Amino acid sequence: MEKGFYLEILHVDKNCGARYGILHTPHGNVEVPMFMPVGTVGSVKTLTPEELYAMHSGVILANTYHLHLRPGEDIVSKAGGIQKFMNYKGPMLTDSGGFQVFSLAKSRDIKEEGVTFKSHLNGDKIFFSPEIVIGIEEKIGADIIMSFDECIPYPATYTYAKDSTERTLRWAARGKAVHQRSDQALFGIVQGGDYKDLRTMCAKELVKMDFDGYSIGGTSIGEPKEKCFEMIDYAIEYLPSDKPRYLMGVGSLDYMLEGIAKGIDMMDCVLPTRIARHGTLMTHNGRVNIKNEKYKEDFSPLDSECDCYTCKNYTKAYLRHLYVSEEQLAQRLLSIHNLRFLISIMEGARVAIKEDRFLQYKDEVLKKYGDKRGF
Amino acid sequence: MEKGFYLEILHVDKNCGARYGILHTPHGNVEVPMFMPVGTVGSVKTLTPEELYAMHSGVILANTYHLHLRPGEDIVSKAGGIQKFMNYKGPMLTDSGGFQVFSLAKSRDIKEEGVTFKSHLNGDKIFFSPEIVIGIEEKIGADIIMSFDECIPYPATYTYAKDSTERTLRWAARGKAVHQRSDQALFGIVQGGDYKDLRTMCAKELVKMDFDGYSIGGTSIGEPKEKCFEMIDYAIEYLPSDKPRYLMGVGSLDYMLEGIAKGIDMMDCVLPTRIARHGTLMTHNGRVNIKNEKYKEDFSPLDSECDCYTCKNYTKAYLRHLYVSEEQLAQRLLSIHNLRFLISIMEGARVAIKEDRFLQYKDEVLKKYGDKRGF
């Protein structure tokens, strides 16, 4: 990877591992820690790029597995890459499809060479190997791409987790060996289930391979919260401080803030947009269910502390009306709010880190939010 | 109606009845002839007000029947009226619900006093009289409101049409008698089925009542194209030239352009947004079905002559991908295009009228569009 991609750490909170920095990418610089909205098939559901810029989005995700199925990486490549295809001018990241193969695909068969599975759309047989996945990600053309891994189910036996983690390491090496595009950063993914020695071993081995960044995967898949935090602890101390650290699939406040305290730089999740489409909003004062009858004549904004387009222009009564009437505009306006809410929480976190008061900020945010689920 | 609402006709085409003018309303001035996007339940489906301003929308419609059912006119009134409720800063119009009672509602019972019908949402029994409808429209608070009428089915016997038209005239008088808000223009609706004497009689009688504008209703409900044009002819010569003339429910190119040639100022239809949500686009070079396989690798804009947000920023390949992947963003981007297309056709019409070449413009647009259905 050429110098177009690097992490510049500018401050580490004196009281915890939280770090503030700037991630330099070929499509611009973004501040960390950051929350990355997910644009699964090449659009952050319901939203335009301009709406993402307006909420100060940084990196946006897209999904290798979904884009491979539709429209296919060749079409994305012919369009000039994913940014040109979807008209997003900021940095982008593709996950490797590993998580989707294990969560969405039907009847998978995992071998050393790779995974044979059936498309969740039409049952077509598909084969993904580390080499094939890197090839697809190179065609999609995001700034940051992920190694192909197996997302170990929770719980898993030690033997299963060990075999899988060792294979994921071999897959990481194979993917790295074929990766050619010097304008793309390639991340390794730490697996290991909830076993300390496996997580530590995986982190150390990946670091030896010298990736451009490191993800912590296999988290937020049903394990207890403390387990997730332990999985981070088992690995993070072995990850180099000058490379970005990405906690995958995490979008609830408590996980995000705890991750940041431990030294995580990047997080993503479909949660804020998915729950928004179902009428559930995250606000500075806790969870709001917009369907609730009590908002019928509530002409105040969703979140009086929020500066998003939705909160600046619409009332709860109108949002409830749109939602109850099944108007698509509801899902748009609610998605805008939830994403902007998390992005603004990250902005607050960055300021707090620079002032060495991140732990206090975390406690304040969580206390005010109130809901123990964190979303 | 105070002087806040009036039509200023600035030019009539020398070769036909087409007229160019400015409609003055309490929420701003708009040029006619114009196409009015429909925001049935208080949102033009999928779109924000800012997107409507960007496409140079003028008057926006909302629907009395739908808003009465949800959220109820009292809530709209408490919000400060429909414009404040939905945050649209331009002029608005509400239809009377007459069309919806006859097209959507279940088991209606029409009496002199009014209509008893069942809600299409939950079967609740509802009673609409001219007085009740005007009361609802006053609470909703649009700039332009419609009299309560019966939309006569096509075809209808002479006896049915005559009885209905005479009742619609009595309803118009009753509605006008109770209408109080001086900041709202009230329009009468010409009915009469496809019977010349009834249409003419209805127009003359409405004009005697001195409405602020006149609609031609009962059109575009399944009658042959020539019948629709005749229905306009039967009435329009009796309508005063200094009052706006509104052809209801018309959104295909041929009907719109023919209406303008006959002296129509305003038109509305859900057609452009409804067909957009089903992947059908109106372009300067004819109809496009975005689902078509041939657009899979077509990286050109939907309509190279269009200046809309969608055509300036996205390719057919991307729009097709979003549509096929059932992403809501597809319906947004396609709705933006269809509405802007019709609005830009209106802009061209206004220029042509001022230059006395509207008939030529009409022929050119329709020839280039090609599709005889006009949409």
Side-chain angles (χ1 to χ4, degrees):
Chain A
M1 180 75 210
E2 58 193 16
K3 203 61 182 167
F5 181 91
Y6 64 99
L7 176 66
E8 187 181 3
I9 290 292
L10 295 169
H11 189 77
V12 179
D13 190 292
K14 285 189 173 56
N15 306 304
C16 63
R19 22 201 259 155
Y20 167 73
I22 295 173
L23 186 65
H24 298 255
T25 87
H27 282 85
N29 303 337
V30 288
E31 291 177 297
V32 297
M34 71 173 150
F35 174 77
M36 306 182 288
V38 181
T40 310
V41 306
S43 92
V44 175
K45 288 197 189 305
T46 80
L47 303 181
T48 60
E50 287 74 14
E51 284 163 328
L52 296 167
Y53 308 147
M55 62 176 75
H56 304 289
S57 64
V59 171
I60 295 294
L61 256 75
N63 192 290
T64 297
Y65 167 79
H66 284 98
L67 289 173
H68 172 67
L69 296 184
R70 286 192 306 213
E73 60 275 13
D74 287 330
I75 285 176
V76 178
S77 174
K78 282 179 190 167
I82 184 65
Q83 270 109 336
K84 289 230 166 104
F85 187 55
M86 69 181 278
N87 200 34
Y88 187 71
K89 294 177 174 62
M92 288 191 67
L93 180 155
T94 42
D95 62 9
S96 64
F99 180 74
Q100 284 70 34
V101 168
F102 300 102
S103 67
L104 287 177
K106 298 170 190 163
S107 68
R108 57 185 179 267
D109 178 26
I110 310 170
K111 294 223 163 65
E112 182 62 26
E113 181 56 21
V115 187
T116 306
F117 59 97
K118 286 185 179 169
S119 156
H120 75 290
L121 291 178
N122 58 14
D124 278 0
K125 196 180 270 191
I126 301 171
F127 177 70
F128 267 13
S129 70
E131 293 82 2
I132 287 170
V133 165
I134 294 293
I136 296 171
E137 292 192 282
E138 289 192 323
K139 283 188 174 171
I140 294 172
D143 303 87
I144 306 171
I145 68 174
M146 295 294 127
S147 297
F148 189 55
D149 63 336
E150 182 190 351
C151 178
I152 299 171
Y154 180 86
T157 65
Y158 184 82
T159 311
Y160 186 95
K162 182 167 185 286
D163 289 349
S164 170
T165 304
E166 287 169 354
R167 188 171 47 228
T168 283
L169 281 167
R170 291 189 295 273
W171 286 0
R174 282 167 53 191
K176 191 162 191 302
V178 298
H179 180 233
Q180 303 214 342
R181 281 186 66 161
S182 62
D183 60 342
Q184 285 185 313
L186 175 61
F187 280 30
I189 303 179
V190 180
Q191 292 288 351
D194 62 328
Y195 300 101
K196 183 175 181 182
D197 64 322
L198 298 179
R199 286 269 167 192
T200 302
M201 179 272 291
C202 191
K204 285 179 172 174
E205 292 300 317
L206 286 172
V207 171
K208 283 186 200 160
M209 298 181 211
D210 192 23
F211 282 93
D212 299 310
Y214 300 90
S215 305
I216 296 176
T219 50
S220 201
I221 56 168
E223 77 282 4
K225 198 184 289 190
E226 306 68 42
K227 280 281 172 205
C228 174
F229 298 155
E230 283 174 19
M231 292 178 193
I232 302 171
D233 289 335
Y234 296 158
I236 203 158
E237 63 177 296
Y238 303 101
L239 300 178
S241 62
D242 62 341
K243 295 285 175 71
R245 302 158 177 172
Y246 165 25
L247 180 61
M248 303 180 86
V250 161
S252 65
L253 274 184
D254 47 355
Y255 280 69
M256 291 174 71
L257 294 173
E258 193 61 36
I260 292 170
K262 293 178 183 299
I264 293 293
D265 306 305
M266 306 158 66
M267 286 147 289
D268 80 289
C269 198
V270 296
L271 181 117
T273 41
R274 181 171 291 163
I275 64 176
R277 295 198 304 279
H278 291 92
T280 301
L281 291 316
M282 300 161 85
T283 80
H284 284 86
N285 292 295
R287 179 190 283 238
V288 164
N289 184 337
I290 200 66
K291 297 184 283 280
N292 199 308
E293 181 84 12
K294 72 179 171 189
Y295 301 126
K296 211 168 173 177
E297 299 194 14
D298 184 336
F299 301 110
S300 69
L302 195 50
D303 182 346
S304 58
E305 294 175 47
C306 180
D307 63 0
C308 83
Y309 170 75
T310 304
C311 290
K312 281 192 294 188
N313 291 287
Y314 302 95
T315 62
K316 291 196 203 71
Y318 182 65
L319 295 170
R320 179 183 186 277
H321 165 62
L322 291 181
Y323 190 85
V324 169
S325 302
E326 296 174 31
E327 290 286 294
Q328 282 190 19
L329 184 57
Q331 304 199 323
R332 263 182 84 177
L333 296 178
L334 299 177
S335 295
I336 286 173
H337 170 76
N338 269 4
L339 286 176
R340 175 61 194 153
F341 172 74
L342 284 188
I343 288 169
S344 72
I345 291 293
M346 294 292 113
E347 290 170 355
R350 295 194 292 262
V351 171
I353 293 168
K354 286 188 268 188
E355 296 171 356
D356 297 311
R357 55 173 181 81
F358 177 74
L359 290 179
Q360 188 189 332
Y361 175 78
K362 173 167 85 84
D363 291 345
E364 283 165 4
V365 168
L366 290 177
K367 189 179 171 196
K368 223 170 134 194
Y369 193 76
D371 195 304
K372 285 219 167 59
R373 287 167 295 188
F375 67 90
Chain B
M1 179 75 210
E2 58 193 16
K3 204 59 183 169
F5 181 89
Y6 64 99
L7 177 65
E8 187 182 4
I9 290 293
L10 295 168
H11 189 77
V12 179
D13 190 292
K14 286 190 172 57
N15 307 303
C16 63
R19 22 200 260 155
Y20 166 73
I22 294 173
L23 185 66
H24 298 255
T25 87
H27 282 87
N29 303 337
V30 288
E31 292 176 297
V32 297
M34 72 173 149
F35 174 76
M36 305 182 288
V38 181
T40 308
V41 305
S43 92
V44 175
K45 287 198 188 305
T46 80
L47 303 181
T48 60
E50 288 74 14
E51 283 163 329
L52 296 167
Y53 308 147
M55 62 175 75
H56 303 290
S57 63
V59 172
I60 296 294
L61 256 74
N63 191 289
T64 298
Y65 168 79
H66 284 98
L67 289 173
H68 173 68
L69 296 185
R70 285 193 306 213
E73 60 274 13
D74 287 329
I75 285 176
V76 179
S77 174
K78 283 179 190 166
I82 184 66
Q83 270 111 334
K84 288 230 167 105
F85 187 55
M86 69 181 278
N87 200 33
Y88 186 70
K89 295 179 173 61
M92 290 192 65
L93 180 155
T94 42
D95 62 9
S96 64
F99 180 74
Q100 283 70 35
V101 168
F102 299 103
S103 68
L104 287 178
K106 297 170 190 162
S107 68
R108 57 185 178 268
D109 178 25
I110 309 171
K111 294 222 163 66
E112 182 62 26
E113 181 57 21
V115 187
T116 305
F117 59 95
K118 285 186 178 166
S119 156
H120 75 289
L121 291 178
N122 59 13
D124 278 0
K125 196 181 271 191
I126 301 173
F127 177 69
F128 267 13
S129 69
E131 293 82 3
I132 288 170
V133 165
I134 294 294
I136 297 171
E137 292 192 282
E138 288 191 324
K139 283 187 174 172
I140 294 173
D143 304 87
I144 306 170
I145 68 173
M146 295 293 127
S147 297
F148 189 55
D149 63 335
E150 182 190 351
C151 178
I152 299 171
Y154 179 87
T157 64
Y158 184 81
T159 310
Y160 186 95
K162 183 165 184 290
D163 290 349
S164 171
T165 303
E166 287 169 356
R167 188 172 48 228
T168 282
L169 281 167
R170 291 189 295 273
W171 285 1
R174 283 167 51 191
K176 193 163 190 302
V178 297
H179 179 232
Q180 304 213 343
R181 280 186 67 160
S182 62
D183 59 343
Q184 286 186 312
L186 174 61
F187 280 29
I189 304 179
V190 180
Q191 292 289 350
D194 62 328
Y195 300 101
K196 184 176 182 180
D197 64 324
L198 298 179
R199 286 268 167 192
T200 302
M201 179 273 289
C202 191
K204 285 179 172 174
E205 292 300 318
L206 286 173
V207 172
K208 282 184 200 162
M209 299 181 211
D210 190 24
F211 282 93
D212 299 310
Y214 300 90
S215 304
I216 296 177
T219 51
S220 202
I221 56 168
E223 77 283 2
K225 198 184 289 192
E226 306 70 40
K227 280 281 172 207
C228 174
F229 297 155
E230 283 173 20
M231 292 178 191
I232 303 172
D233 289 335
Y234 296 157
I236 203 159
E237 64 177 296
Y238 304 101
L239 300 178
S241 62
D242 62 341
K243 294 285 174 72
R245 301 158 177 172
Y246 164 24
L247 179 61
M248 303 179 87
V250 161
S252 65
L253 274 184
D254 47 356
Y255 280 68
M256 291 175 71
L257 294 173
E258 193 62 36
I260 293 170
K262 293 178 183 300
I264 293 293
D265 306 305
M266 304 159 66
M267 287 148 289
D268 79 289
C269 199
V270 295
L271 182 118
T273 40
R274 181 171 292 163
I275 64 176
R277 293 198 305 279
H278 290 93
T280 301
L281 291 316
M282 300 161 85
T283 80
H284 285 87
N285 292 294
R287 180 191 282 239
V288 164
N289 183 337
I290 200 67
K291 296 183 285 279
N292 199 309
E293 181 82 16
K294 73 180 171 189
Y295 300 126
K296 210 168 173 175
E297 299 193 14
D298 184 336
F299 300 110
S300 69
L302 195 51
D303 183 346
S304 57
E305 294 175 49
C306 180
D307 62 1
C308 83
Y309 170 73
T310 305
C311 290
K312 281 192 294 188
N313 290 288
Y314 302 94
T315 63
K316 289 196 204 73
Y318 182 64
L319 295 170
R320 179 183 186 277
H321 165 63
L322 290 181
Y323 190 86
V324 170
S325 302
E326 296 174 31
E327 290 286 295
Q328 283 190 19
L329 184 57
Q331 304 199 322
R332 263 182 82 178
L333 296 178
L334 300 177
S335 295
I336 286 174
H337 170 77
N338 269 5
L339 286 176
R340 175 60 194 154
F341 172 76
L342 285 187
I343 288 169
S344 72
I345 291 292
M346 294 291 113
E347 290 171 355
R350 295 196 291 263
V351 171
I353 293 167
K354 286 188 267 188
E355 296 171 355
D356 297 311
R357 54 174 181 81
F358 178 73
L359 291 179
Q360 188 188 331
Y361 175 78
K362 173 167 85 84
D363 290 347
E364 283 166 4
V365 168
L366 290 177
K367 190 178 169 197
K368 223 171 134 194
Y369 192 77
D371 195 305
K372 286 215 167 61
R373 286 167 295 186
F375 67 89

